[in-house]
Amino acid sequence: MAPVAMRTAAQSLSGAKPVSFWLDDPDKPAPQPALTGDERCDLLVVGGGYSGLWTALLAKERDPGRDVVLIEGHEVGWAASGRNGGFCAASLTHGLGNGIARWPGELAKLEELGERNLDAIEAAVAAYGIDCDFERTGEIDVATEPHQLAELKEMYEEARKLGFTGLELLDRDQVRAEVDSPTFLGGLFDRRGVALLHPAKLAWGLKRACLGLGVRIYEHTRGLDLVAAGAGMAVRTPYGRVFARRLALGTNIFPSLVKRVRPYTVPVYDYALMTEPLTEEQLASIGWKNRQGLGDSANQFHYFRLSADNRILWGGYDAVYPFGGKLSADMDHRPETYLKLAEHFFRCFPQLEGVNFSHAWGGAIDTCSRFSAFFGTAHAGKVAYAAGYTGLGVGSTRFGADVMLDLLDGERTERTELEMVRSKPMPFPPEPFAWAGIGITKWSLARSDDNGGRRNLWLKAMDKLGLGFDS
Ligand SMILES: Cc1cc2nc3c(=O)[nH]c(=O)nc-3n(C[C@H](O)[C@H](O)[C@H](O)COP(=O)(O)OP(=O)(O)OC[C@H]3O[C@@H](n4cnc5c(N)ncnc54)[C@H](O)[C@@H]3O)c2cc1C
């Protein structure tokens, strides 16, 4: 007979709609018509996720006279930008630990730019009236194993030594006074460095702001290829072409129109559940008053947060790499992962037994081997790209948009001077080596979680080479 917790988890999923909660919204705006015929512009932006939308918006803010066109292959916000956890972090380096390991010399600058970037997002949300439930409530990284507690303490002390004073170390009682789970042993609270928001509403709000500034947006308009045309570039689409002086690619994990960029990223599928709205009593049973986001500190981690109507989003843990890096709609759903996530949810919050999940979905994350975005140009500086945000792109895509515009304008700025912007991650090898390497890394990370955080020889070698796998 199945254990009780298993039965509860499966039953809790029986009514879950297989679609992103954020995109399942009757107020979703209608798509803009597809491009038919030829278009000409100063700047063509390819991709209607945050990356492309911020690029179009900032291009207009920098120079209102610039003629900007954006093409989106499907619908604005349908991909990662409409499926994510909505943790909008200041960090540009996929967390402080990764920043310390990779760019210690310029970390103070990176942290300052990241804070300014998050402030600018908050200001844009207010200025354009973007109704995306933006709440700057912070995030607590919680420890659920003793070795994680030691790691959080080490991170706290290292951050203080480097002069970053924004983190608070919480003991077991303090963290459980914020959100009560019997699994929490302590936490590290970043009160200002993370905001939570409604991901799809941010994308739709940015779309509206772009249209308001005169950006011409064409949806269901895939860029098929890219060729030089006179002094600029031309992109072919199903029913027409766009001729542009400059081009910015915000195409995330989809095959880049600049082929040599492709080996730098692999798709990693990440999954999330959303509960039904909690009642007052259910919410009180876990004491979650201050609405901050949470994540646990394992290699295979969970992230969780409240929605505006007091549902809990619970995601993460499994990070699934499809052989050959092949994107497919079939990968968007994975019942075995949903079941695992539901079991973990009830282990974390046994007080919520009986709660049901209303939605379950997945999406592809553009993972690169250094976990934070990379940037570059092609076609003699006429094309710029930014990709590789690895699960922390809600905030940092705005920074990436600024970098792409700096590069296209040929400007030397505090951003383009950064080592992080000038360097590239190590590309992934072809198959079957990528599959094998990622498989061994995933297996080793899971073992490390079960083994007091001890890293085996493979992980130590990867650490030495500055390589990794994450979601
Ligand atoms: C399940 C999940 C949870 C996540 N949680 C978080 C989180 O909590 N916090 C966080 O910071 N990050 C998170 N992320 C990552 C974050 O969502 C992404 O980093 C971010 O949305 C990337 O934005 P983007 O615009 O680059 O990509 P996307 O949103 O994927 O947009 C790219 C767009 O380009 C279009 N496109 C591609 N090729 C072409 C072409 N040739 N022609 C026309 N259009 C094209 C696509 O159709 C797509 O709409 C998560 C991701 C997932 C999948």
Side-chain angles (χ1 to χ4, degrees):
M1 199 173 123
V4 174
M6 275 285 288
R7 237 183 14 248
T8 309
Q11 283 169 351
S12 69
L13 287 163
S14 65
K17 269 182 162 177
V19 60
S20 159
F21 166 78
W22 312 116
L23 294 170
D24 185 22
D25 186 332
D27 294 331
K28 182 171 159 224
Q32 293 294 111
L35 173 68
T36 52
D38 287 353
E39 256 286 14
R40 281 171 200 286
C41 58
D42 295 323
L43 174 68
L44 170 63
V45 179
V46 183
Y50 304 138
S51 185
L53 292 162
W54 279 118
T55 307
L57 189 80
L58 294 179
K60 279 303 227 181
E61 285 185 352
R62 284 185 186 199
D63 175 7
R66 182 160 22 192
D67 192 24
V68 181
V69 167
L70 184 151
I71 58 170
E72 161 53 47
H74 188 51
E75 291 185 7
V76 161
W78 76 282
S81 298
R83 304 176 189 212
N84 62 72
F87 287 66
C88 184
S91 176
L92 303 175
T93 58
H94 204 266
L96 195 58
N98 194 44
I100 291 172
R102 293 180 194 278
W103 299 288
E106 62 186 28
L107 191 60
K109 187 74 195 166
L110 286 166
E111 287 288 296
E112 180 212 321
L113 286 169
E115 256 170 57
R116 271 161 47 193
N117 185 57
L118 182 55
D119 290 346
I121 292 173
E122 186 167 14
V125 163
Y128 292 104
I130 298 176
D131 169 23
C132 65
D133 307 330
F134 187 98
E135 315 178 80
R136 199 148 171 181
T137 44
E139 180 178 355
I140 306 179
D141 283 339
V142 294
T144 56
E145 297 286 340
H147 73 270
Q148 293 170 10
L149 204 53
E151 285 164 12
L152 290 184
K153 189 155 182 277
E154 206 177 298
M155 172 57 64
Y156 170 76
E157 279 162 5
E158 194 156 357
R160 286 189 78 82
K161 236 190 282 161
L162 292 169
F164 305 121
T165 52
L167 300 176
E168 275 166 60
L169 198 59
L170 306 183
D171 65 21
R172 182 176 169 280
D173 290 345
Q174 286 168 318
V175 77
R176 287 188 64 172
E178 292 290 340
V179 182
D180 190 13
S181 163
T183 65
F184 295 171
L185 304 177
L188 197 55
F189 197 172
D190 181 357
R191 286 184 193 267
R192 290 289 301 158
V194 178
L196 295 173
L197 50 76
H198 184 305
K201 284 189 181 173
L202 174 63
W204 299 332
L206 288 172
K207 169 179 161 180
R208 193 169 51 83
C210 283
L211 290 170
L213 294 185
V215 175
R216 300 196 295 291
I217 297 180
Y218 298 98
E219 294 180 67
H220 295 291
T221 301
R222 174 156 296 278
L224 301 173
D225 55 34
L226 172 66
V227 288
M233 303 298 301
V235 170
R236 199 165 54 89
T237 75
Y239 310 126
R241 286 168 302 174
V242 189
F243 296 92
R245 231 170 37 77
R246 294 285 181 270
L247 216 118
L249 300 178
T251 53
N252 196 23
I253 194 54
F254 300 90
S256 178
L257 292 177
V258 175
K259 289 203 175 80
R260 66 181 153 81
V261 177
R262 297 181 186 175
Y264 289 113
T265 56
V266 292
V268 171
Y269 279 84
D270 187 45
Y271 299 89
L273 306 177
M274 186 67 108
T275 68
E276 292 170 339
L278 300 191
T279 62
E280 292 286 324
E281 299 75 56
Q282 286 166 336
L283 197 58
S285 74
I286 53 171
W288 201 338
K289 299 172 294 293
N290 296 322
R291 303 189 55 80
Q292 63 282 78
L294 288 96
D296 63 52
S297 319
N299 291 312
Q300 291 188 286
F301 63 95
H302 305 88
Y303 52 90
F304 36 115
R305 57 161 290 188
L306 294 170
S307 66
D309 60 352
N310 289 334
R311 298 161 188 266
I312 298 180
L313 176 140
W314 177 264
Y317 193 76
D318 268 346
V320 183
Y321 169 68
F323 184 84
K326 215 168 136 12
L327 294 168
S328 90
D330 285 350
M331 289 292 297
D332 284 349
H333 300 290
R334 202 161 187 268
E336 64 266 46
T337 296
Y338 298 152
L339 187 59
K340 220 184 283 178
L341 282 173
E343 283 165 23
H344 297 178
F345 175 84
F346 290 112
R347 209 174 295 155
C348 183
F349 294 123
Q351 308 96 306
L352 296 182
E353 195 177 329
V355 164
N356 289 314
F357 294 100
S358 62
H359 295 76
W361 69 95
I365 282 178
D366 61 331
T367 294
C368 74
S369 60
R370 68 181 200 184
F371 313 148
S372 69
F374 59 88
F375 314 89
T377 59
H379 295 274
K382 286 181 240 168
V383 178
Y385 55 83
Y389 290 96
T390 318
L392 210 67
V394 174
S396 53
T397 41
R398 185 191 171 282
F399 172 84
D402 255 334
V403 172
M404 284 200 277
L405 292 172
D406 291 347
L407 293 173
L408 289 175
D409 291 345
E411 278 178 28
R412 277 176 73 158
T413 66
E414 56 185 343
R415 291 174 288 267
T416 61
E417 293 300 292
L418 292 166
E419 174 62 20
M420 187 189 78
V421 169
R422 287 186 289 116
S423 62
K424 293 268 193 311
M426 187 92 101
F428 288 92
E431 298 296 11
F433 303 105
W435 173 259
I438 290 170
I440 298 170
T441 307
K442 271 188 68 175
W443 177 82
S444 305
L445 289 171
R447 265 183 66 100
S448 161
D449 281 337
D450 292 341
N451 216 355
R454 280 184 287 282
R455 295 173 85 75
N456 65 12
L457 281 176
W458 174 266
L459 292 180
K460 282 183 188 157
M462 292 288 117
D463 292 344
K464 273 230 166 76
L465 291 169
L467 291 174
F469 174 77
D470 207 341
S471 58

